[in-house]
């Protein structure tokens, strides 16, 4: 999984990174016979069959790597499903007005959980979902100074805790955010916008790419937008793409 983590570090999966993954599997044939390596062999073979990896194949591989990472975490750090407290509402604290000028924030339920560590099996991290706090090093050194409720306070353990908390009827853009296994960049700020079919969640782009949680042809998910280059990652656009780029520029002026 270390190579998969490396691939997911930047904003966009590249052909060079997939070539490195293919080279690793070729050099270590046993890895390709067992999970998780066997998840990648056939898609990589199909991708290289014509000698060219196109944008749709890059998008497919990113989704596969993200889902494999999610399953890997479930296997190495299993966690029991936890019932949300009665009346738990993650939306009441949102800056939901598109003209309020406020950053979006999560109003977490009053729940504290012990979340198993994937890096150090047998140990746990203490997570507080109301304040979005964790005792892991990523949270302490990269996220702790962000305002309470800020989306980028969510480290992987906070996201993992939300995944195992049974909160029903979440807004689809929030559900998509919480299901994304890659923690948000702590330098990114977040805003709720509306492009005609409900609230979407957008970030600024301190390193070139804005994260957009919106509806697409396959349902709700995360899209990448480089508004400076006027392009969408892997040529995959969400519904309302034409209105989203101006919205990002408006809410996060450079």
């Amino acid at each position: 999984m270390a190579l998969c983590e490396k691939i997911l570090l930047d904003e966009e999966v590249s052909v060079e990174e997939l070539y490195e993954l293919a080279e690793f599997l070729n050099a270590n044939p046993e890895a390709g016979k067992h999970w998780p390596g066997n998840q990648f062999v056939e898609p990589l073979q199909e991708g290289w069959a014509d000698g060219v990896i196109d944008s749709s194949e890059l998008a497919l591989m990113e989704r596969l790597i993200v889902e494999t990472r999610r399953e890997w975490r479930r296997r190495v750090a299993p966690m029991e499903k936890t019932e949300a407290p009665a009346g738990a509402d993650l939306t009441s604290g949102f800056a939901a007005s598109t003209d309020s000028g406020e950053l979006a924030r999560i109003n977490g339920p009053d729940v504290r959980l012990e979340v198993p560590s994937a890096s150090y099996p047998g140990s746990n991290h203490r997570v507080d979902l109301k304040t979005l706090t964790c005792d892991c090093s990523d949270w302490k050194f990269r996220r702790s100074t962000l305002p309470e409720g800020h989306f980028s306070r969510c480290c992987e353990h906070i996201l993992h805790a939300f995944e195992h908390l049974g909160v029903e009827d979440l807004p689809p853009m929030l559900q998509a955010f919480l299901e994304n296994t890659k923690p948000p960049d702590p330098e990114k700020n977040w805003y709720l916008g509306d492009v005609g079919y409900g609230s979407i969640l957008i970030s600024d782009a301190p390193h070139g790419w804005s994260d957009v949680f919106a509806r697409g042809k396959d349902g709700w998910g995360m899209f990448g937008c480089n508004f400076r280059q006027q392009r969408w990652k892997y040529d995959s656009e969400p519904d309302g793409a034409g209105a989203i780029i101006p919205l990002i520029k408006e809410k996060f002026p450079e």
Side-chain angles (χ1 to χ4, degrees):
M1 283 303 298
L3 184 52
C4 291
E5 295 282 4
K6 177 184 174 183
I7 291 173
L8 293 176
L9 275 178
D10 55 19
E11 302 275 7
E12 190 174 22
V13 174
S14 68
V15 173
E16 292 75 19
E17 288 169 329
L18 294 186
Y19 183 79
E20 184 180 359
L21 177 59
E23 285 286 282
F24 171 81
L25 292 171
N26 287 334
N28 300 273
E30 283 300 313
K33 297 177 182 178
H34 307 284
W35 194 92
N38 59 3
Q39 303 294 299
F40 307 121
V41 174
E42 185 174 343
L44 286 170
Q45 289 174 339
E46 292 177 353
W48 291 114
D50 60 359
V52 178
I53 299 286
D54 61 27
S55 59
S56 64
E57 289 166 331
L58 287 172
L60 172 65
M61 286 303 302
E62 181 179 275
R63 289 194 298 271
L64 181 57
I65 292 171
V66 167
E67 182 52 44
T68 301
R69 185 188 187 280
R70 180 183 292 118
E71 178 59 24
W72 170 78
R73 205 190 195 295
R74 290 173 183 152
R75 294 188 184 196
V76 301
M79 184 176 175
E80 294 295 327
K81 200 76 173 179
T82 303
E83 290 298 321
D89 180 8
L90 275 67
T91 64
S92 62
F94 277 0
S97 172
T98 56
D99 59 359
S100 68
E102 296 181 66
L103 294 177
R105 62 189 183 93
I106 297 176
N107 181 37
D110 190 11
V111 174
R112 282 155 291 282
L113 297 171
E114 294 283 325
V115 178
S117 170
S119 303
Y120 302 98
S123 62
N124 294 324
H125 291 289
R126 292 184 295 275
V127 167
D128 187 327
L129 293 182
K130 185 173 182 60
T131 58
L132 299 183
T133 58
C134 180
D135 62 4
C136 73
S137 58
D138 174 46
W139 192 89
K140 287 180 179 178
F141 296 111
R142 302 176 71 223
R143 306 175 189 275
S144 60
T145 59
L146 295 170
E148 188 169 314
H150 195 291
F151 272 70
S152 289
R153 284 173 70 95
C154 292
C155 65
E156 67 168 317
H157 307 105
I158 291 174
L159 292 177
H160 196 48
F162 272 121
E163 181 182 358
H164 287 78
L165 190 68
V167 179
E168 299 180 351
D169 301 322
L170 290 177
M173 56 81 193
L174 177 58
Q175 187 73 47
F177 175 85
L178 295 176
E179 288 179 351
N180 184 41
T181 62
K182 181 182 177 182
D185 186 329
E187 295 184 35
K188 289 185 175 180
N189 292 303
W190 301 83
Y191 190 85
L192 287 178
D194 193 328
V195 289
Y197 55 82
S199 293
I200 64 170
L201 181 65
I202 60 176
S203 80
D204 57 359
H207 305 295
W209 289 91
S210 172
D211 293 334
V212 178
F213 290 89
R215 190 182 68 191
K217 63 179 182 179
D218 297 320
W220 286 77
M222 186 177 80
F223 299 82
C225 177
N226 191 317
F227 67 88
R228 298 178 184 89
Q229 298 178 5
Q230 299 284 302
R231 71 182 182 95
W232 291 88
K233 185 165 61 173
Y234 312 130
D235 298 322
S236 177
E237 297 184 356
D239 295 345
I244 293 175
I245 290 180
L247 183 63
I248 296 172
K249 291 181 177 180
E250 174 191 346
K251 299 306 177 185
F252 301 109
E254 297 186 272

